[in-house]
Amino acid sequence: YVVFDRDMKRTIAEERSLQNSVNHALESRQFQLYVQFYVDAQHFRVIGGEALSRWNHPQKGILGPGQFVPLLERDRLIYKLDYYCLNEVCRFLETLKGEGVEQFFVSCNFSRDTFASENFVSRCKEIMDRYTFPRELLIFELTESVAESHSTQIKHNMVDLKQYGVSIALDDFGEGFTSFDDLLEYPVDGIKLDQRLVKSCGTRQGMAILRAVVQAGHELGITILAEGVEQEEEIHAMQEIHCDVIQGFRFHRPIPAWEARDQLLKQFLGKDGDKTL
């Protein structure tokens, strides 16, 4: 038996309401770009950021990705948000370029389904060609590993994008399906160590695995980024194994794009910005 109570009914109604308003939300730019900074692991200088999405819903306020991404994935609409976010990131990088900041990179997440589509590269180029920022400042971040049925198309898309000038990174390395096989198969420039793997640094086994991953990555010319670095011992561990970049609430939390721009203008140029972006 399944009990269908009022709370379940309310939850389903709220989900349907969000689903029905997605297209309008995208058209009216209710989805907003947030940025969580990356820092250099040795000196903690801000050197880049990860692009994140928040839904500024007119009735519900600011919604986090956990409240809308699963709905978009379930209805196979996540590609719309992926391309929308790419445009917002390009606009953000173009704004920084116009202000004189040209040493700050941004990673933009894409679902596997979006990345595996045959027209993925052409649609991305159509968006990026509207802007003139240095392409090496944009990183395409692929979530988890690639399903075997998609691997050929994914690899083809990666090669085309790298020829265009952007970099490729694998997210959540060490979690789910991601493995060293991906490093053999795909032409990636960076990997992001999964938070659970980072948290294992307190054990001898975990530290040995982390050290091996970083060493192998560096020998392949791959940049290593650790996410979810929060504790002092984790920071020291990442420094000890020569991890390149770290990210975590201990350093910076996600902030709106306009606020990120203001902070970058102060850091790189020593001047103030405003809230228009």
Side-chain angles (χ1 to χ4, degrees), residues 248-267:
F249 288 173
R250 174 72 173 272
F251 297 95
H252 297 280
R253 291 180 175 272
I255 55 177
W258 65 263
E259 186 175 343
R261 184 191 65 177
D262 286 355
Q263 291 192 24
L264 293 172
L265 292 179
K266 290 179 181 179
Q267 174 179 314

Side-chain angles (χ1 to χ4, degrees), residues 4-19 60 67 71 74:
F4 187 75
D5 58 21
R6 291 181 179 178
D7 288 340
M8 293 175 65
K9 182 178 181 180
R10 182 168 56 252
T11 298
I12 292 174
E14 289 178 355
E15 288 183 353
R16 286 180 176 174
S17 175
L18 291 176
Q19 289 169 334
K60 301 179 183 297
Q67 295 172 275
L71 300 179
R74 190 173 64 200

Side-chain angles (χ1 to χ4, degrees), residues 103-273:
Q103 300 298 320
F104 180 85
F105 68 87
V106 178
S107 65
C108 190
N109 292 284
F110 293 92
S111 68
R112 284 175 289 165
D113 285 344
T114 303
F115 212 116
S117 62
E118 292 184 1
N119 65 346
F120 177 65
V121 174
S122 61
R123 292 195 64 173
C124 289
K125 286 183 178 179
E126 181 183 354
I127 293 171
M128 293 185 289
D129 284 345
R130 304 169 191 161
Y131 305 93
T132 61
F133 64 87
R135 297 298 182 250
E136 64 270 17
L137 298 180
L138 179 59
I139 300 174
F140 278 43
E141 198 170 315
L142 178 61
T143 56
E144 274 197 9
S145 184
V146 182
E148 186 63 30
S149 60
H150 291 159
S151 61
T152 301
Q153 186 63 52
I154 287 282
K155 185 175 181 179
H156 177 75
N157 289 346
M158 285 183 174
V159 171
D160 283 355
L161 287 167
K162 284 172 64 68
Q163 290 176 347
Y164 185 78
V166 302
S167 300
I168 307 293
L170 291 178
D171 192 14
D172 297 328
F173 190 86
E175 190 271 336
F177 297 103
T178 49
S179 69
F180 282 100
D181 287 343
D182 292 323
L183 302 186
L184 293 171
E185 182 70 19
Y186 304 107
V188 301
D189 303 288
I191 59 174
K192 181 183 286 187
L193 302 177
D194 179 66
Q195 185 172 351
R196 288 178 57 190
L197 187 57
V198 172
K199 298 300 180 187
S200 73
C201 70
T203 67
R204 182 174 62 85
Q205 298 93 329
M207 194 65 174
I209 292 172
L210 283 164
R211 183 178 286 109
V213 171
V214 173
Q215 182 178 345
H218 284 168
E219 289 184 5
L220 293 171
I222 293 173
T223 299
I224 311 296
L225 186 148
E227 64 179 350
V229 179
E230 305 295 348
Q231 306 301 321
E232 202 67 32
E233 66 173 3
E234 295 166 359
I235 297 172
H236 293 320
M238 294 306 105
Q239 291 178 323
E240 180 183 335
I241 62 178
H242 302 293
C243 182
D244 302 301
V245 182
I246 54 181
Q247 178 191 46
F249 288 173
R250 174 72 173 272
F251 297 95
H252 297 280
R253 291 180 175 272
I255 55 177
W258 65 263
E259 186 175 343
R261 184 191 65 177
D262 286 355
Q263 291 192 24
L264 293 172
L265 292 179
K266 290 179 181 179
Q267 174 179 314
F268 287 93
L269 304 174
K271 65 180 184 180
D272 296 327

Side-chain angles (χ1 to χ4, degrees), residues 26-42:
L26 290 168
E27 292 171 0
S28 57
R29 299 191 68 215
Q30 291 177 18
F31 286 96
Q32 297 182 349
L33 175 64
Y34 274 56
V35 179
Q36 184 176 7
F37 290 143
Y38 298 130
V39 299
D40 144 39
Q42 297 302 317

